[in-house]
């Protein structure tokens, strides 16, 4: 059996990343639970379980839902939540979470508490074992975890969420007792800036993304880039240097520590192509680089490259678009 830790958003809907993990668990159930008694998929929801989430879990083919709700589990606490998962984890099979910060943290605790090994950033599973991405997605390695229970996280976008014939999941309600020592580390307050400030959905769902890096030159150098974003009806994505310098907010960062994007086209302007940035654009269908350095990794990896000053190049492109649109 495979137990999937499910994250929900503020409105109680199943997070897209968890839907990916549930689909992965269902489509690989035979492999993940090869030595288990049952090849089913069970979902663990900590905190409120809404009707919408229950319906979504059914549509994603979940056989059983474990709903864990107590006052001690209300605020996120990695040790307490992990122990609650360990208590309901199968003896054989797999425990899986999507590779979000929370999923990563929880699975690490689960692995330690069960004495099992953990495989992070898994992208595929078959009879030969697991395939996982390393070096920010630049390479892959095969591995066999061994042990009775496989503790895994799924790399972002490794699997498209897919609904199936809806199930009628049994719901098991648990009120586990939490040891005081497991509550020493817990979230005591969450501050949300504003919905807009934290929203990366425009970036992750855009069909066209214009990326801007240090080559833009300064906080005031984004004029042409933003105009191009506007013409394309796309989104702006930036490198970590740009967010680190405070030129743009972190929500716009693309890469290993930013958003992973899958646009039809990514136009990287003044971005060198560091491995951590490339990790975020692996899923782009077409890559266009605009850079003064023809030796840069971005230019070398691009499908099309324009060697030149980005302000001049994008300025000319914008002018052409304006002229053609009258
Ligand atoms: C743990 C860790 C996590 C990280 N996570 C991320 C991440 O999520 N995302 C990320 O982006 N980075 C990340 N980084 C940082 C990463 O290693 C690079 O430092 C960063 O991506 C470089 O940003 P850049 O390409 O904008 O700047 P640079 O590397 O300085 O490149 C600037 C580029 O602009 C070009 N250029 C300069 N002037 C012009 C011009 N006028 N016109 C056209 N081209 C020009 C240059 O030729 C160069 O190629 C991470 C690093 C670490 C250690």
């Amino acid at each position: 059996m495979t137990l999937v830790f499910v994250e929900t958003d503020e409105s109680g809907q199943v997070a897209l990343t968890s839907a990916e993990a549930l689909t992965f668990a269902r489509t690989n159930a035979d492999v993940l639970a090869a030595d288990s008694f049952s090849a089913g998929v069970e979902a663990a929801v900590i905190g409120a379980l809404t009707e919408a989430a229950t319906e979504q879990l059914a549509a994603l083919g979940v056989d059983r839902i474990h709903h864990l709700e107590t006052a001690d589990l209300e605020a996120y606490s990695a040790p307490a939540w992990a122990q609650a998962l360990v208590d309901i984890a199968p003896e054989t099979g797999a425990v899986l979470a999507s590779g979000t910060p929370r999923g990563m943290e929880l699975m690490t605790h689960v692995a330690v508490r069960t004495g099992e090994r953990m495989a992070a950033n898994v992208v595929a599973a078959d009879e030969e074992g697991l395939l996982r991405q390393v070096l920010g997605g630049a390479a892959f390695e095969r591995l066999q975890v061994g042990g009775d229970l496989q503790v895994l996280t799924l790399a972002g976008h490794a699997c498209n969420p897919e609904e199936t014939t809806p199930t009628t999941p049994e719901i098991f309600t648990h009120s586990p007792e939490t040891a005081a020592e497991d509550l020493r580390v817990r979230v005591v307050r969450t501050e949300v800036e504003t919905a807009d400030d934290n929203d990366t959905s425009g970036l992750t769902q855009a069909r066209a993304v214009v990326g801007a890096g240090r080559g833009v030159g300064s906080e005031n150098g984004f004029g042409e880039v933003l105009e191009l974003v506007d013409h394309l009806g796309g989104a702006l994505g930036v490198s970590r240097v740009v967010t680190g310098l405070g030129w743009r907010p972190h929500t716009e960062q693309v890469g290993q520590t930013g958003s992973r994007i899958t646009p039809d086209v990514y136009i990287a302007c003044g971005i060198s192509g560091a491995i951590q940035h490339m990790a975020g654009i692996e899923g782009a269908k077409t890559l266009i680089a605009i850079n003064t350095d023809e030796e840069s990794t971005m230019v070398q990896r691009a499908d099309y490259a324009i060697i030149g000053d980005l302000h001049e190049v994008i300025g000319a492109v914008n002018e052409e678009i304006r002229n053609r649109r009258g």
Side-chain angles (χ1 to χ4, degrees), residues 138 268 271-278 281-282 287 289 291 293-303 305:
I271 301 178
S272 58
I275 190 168
Q276 297 88 356
H277 189 84
M278 302 310 280
I281 60 168
E282 289 291 316
L287 177 57
N291 203 302
D293 178 8
E294 62 184 343
E295 299 295 327
S296 66
T297 307
M298 189 61 84
V299 170
Q300 299 297 321
R301 297 272 297 269
D303 298 299

Side-chain angles (χ1 to χ4, degrees), residues 76-163:
Y76 174 65
S77 153
W81 283 33
Q83 187 57 47
L85 291 175
V86 168
D87 290 344
I88 57 163
E91 284 181 15
T92 58
V95 182
L96 171 71
S98 54
T100 59
R102 190 165 285 191
M104 285 287 204
E105 186 176 37
L106 277 177
M107 289 306 106
T108 312
H109 281 256
V110 167
V112 169
R113 281 167 189 252
T114 53
E116 300 284 357
R117 299 207 174 91
M118 172 182 160
N121 292 320
V122 170
V123 294
D126 59 28
E127 288 71 22
E128 287 178 48
L130 302 168
L131 189 69
R132 72 163 170 187
Q133 66 178 33
V134 291
L135 299 173
F140 296 89
E141 67 182 18
R142 276 215 164 268
L143 74 159
Q144 287 177 338
V145 179
D148 295 321
L149 191 66
Q150 307 195 55
V151 183
L152 316 171
T153 64
L154 184 70
H157 301 308
C159 180
N160 281 331
E162 266 171 29
E163 296 193 347

Side-chain angles (χ1 to χ4, degrees), residues 212-216 238-242 253-258 269-277 290-293 296 308-311:
R214 195 200 302 264
V216 162
V238 300
S239 73
R240 177 155 143 179
V241 165
V242 167
Q253 186 177 311
V254 168
Q256 186 184 323
T257 46
C269 311
I271 301 178
S272 58
I275 190 168
Q276 297 88 356
H277 189 84
I290 302 174
N291 203 302
T292 45
D293 178 8
S296 66
D309 177 84
L310 68 92
H311 299 289

